[in-house]
Amino acid sequence: MQLRKATMTDFDQIITILKDGANQLAEHGVDQWQGDYPSHDQIKEDIKNGWAYLAVSDDHETVGAIAIVDGPDHVYDNLNGKWLCDTDNYVVIHRVAIKSEHAGKGYATQLLNSVINKIRQSDKVDSIRIDTHEDNKAMQHLINKMGFTQVGKLHGAYRPDETSYVYELKK
């Protein structure tokens, strides 16, 4: 699995991948990404800041998208919990999606492994943070499998009355 930094020419492809991801969540009864998040403006900001990546399989096919956002991330300002590392030197994994035609083939695991390995090469990062909707059991399973520790909850960070579980992995 390779990570390729996205450019504005990739914008439509990223939007398509994320909409496909939202549809997959809806099919599984998960209310995550069913509103205006992630928005077009958010994806443009991800690209502009160098946070947006495409996941490219070993056979050179784009299979997913992800954002690796530099901290501090103000989404976490109202965390109900306690971080493993009290630091602003962290990155956040956001907006992870694998195309539905590639779901169930291990690409999400490969993608997160690639991201974690890439981040661990940086000496400017103390930890990696990620969150997911309380009903997104598949993502919770993947996050736990990758060695993250649940450190708390967010209420209403993305939409009113929505709860997300928050995780951290020490680098």
Side-chain angles (χ1 to χ4, degrees):
M1 175 76 56
Q2 298 294 318
L3 294 174
R4 181 175 67 76
K5 193 170 277 205
T7 66
M8 282 310 293
T9 59
D10 300 309
F11 175 80
D12 289 337
Q13 184 176 24
I14 293 170
I15 292 296
T16 299
I17 292 169
L18 294 177
K19 283 185 179 180
D20 182 39
N23 290 339
Q24 291 175 66
L25 289 167
E27 288 170 8
H28 290 95
V30 179
D31 196 31
Q32 187 175 9
W33 293 6
Q34 302 307 305
D36 59 356
Y37 178 88
S39 70
H40 286 207
D41 288 343
Q42 179 68 65
I43 304 313
K44 288 176 184 173
E45 181 181 341
D46 287 348
I47 294 169
K48 182 185 81 169
N49 289 317
W51 299 337
Y53 290 84
L54 292 170
V56 181
S57 66
D58 292 339
D59 59 358
H60 308 291
E61 186 168 352
T62 299
V63 298
I66 192 166
I68 306 169
V69 178
D70 296 328
D73 187 336
H74 296 292
V75 165
Y76 296 133
D77 286 352
N78 296 312
L79 175 71
N80 181 3
K82 183 171 175 29
W83 296 113
L84 301 175
C85 296
D86 185 17
T87 181
D88 283 342
N89 299 324
Y90 62 89
V91 295
V92 182
I93 298 172
H94 278 304
R95 297 174 280 288
V96 180
I98 299 295
K99 291 180 181 179
S100 56
E101 68 229 45
H102 299 292
K105 298 179 182 174
Y107 285 121
T109 299
Q110 290 178 43
L111 175 56
L112 282 188
N113 271 327
S114 294
V115 169
I116 291 167
N117 290 336
K118 173 184 172 55
I119 293 167
R120 284 189 165 149
Q121 294 173 11
S122 170
D123 46 354
K124 297 178 183 176
V125 176
D126 298 323
S127 76
I128 305 166
R129 298 175 180 181
I130 191 170
D131 63 83
T132 194
H133 192 280
E134 65 184 331
D135 294 333
N136 192 341
K137 303 299 184 201
M139 186 55 131
Q140 291 169 33
H141 174 76
L142 177 61
I143 291 168
N144 284 312
K145 184 168 90 170
M146 295 289 101
F148 284 80
T149 300
Q150 187 174 342
V151 296
K153 296 180 182 179
L154 290 175
H155 299 286
Y158 300 102
R159 290 189 303 167
D161 301 321
E162 183 176 87
T163 298
S164 297
Y165 297 145
V166 182
Y167 303 81
E168 186 172 28
L169 178 66
K170 288 184 176 181
K171 191 185 114 187

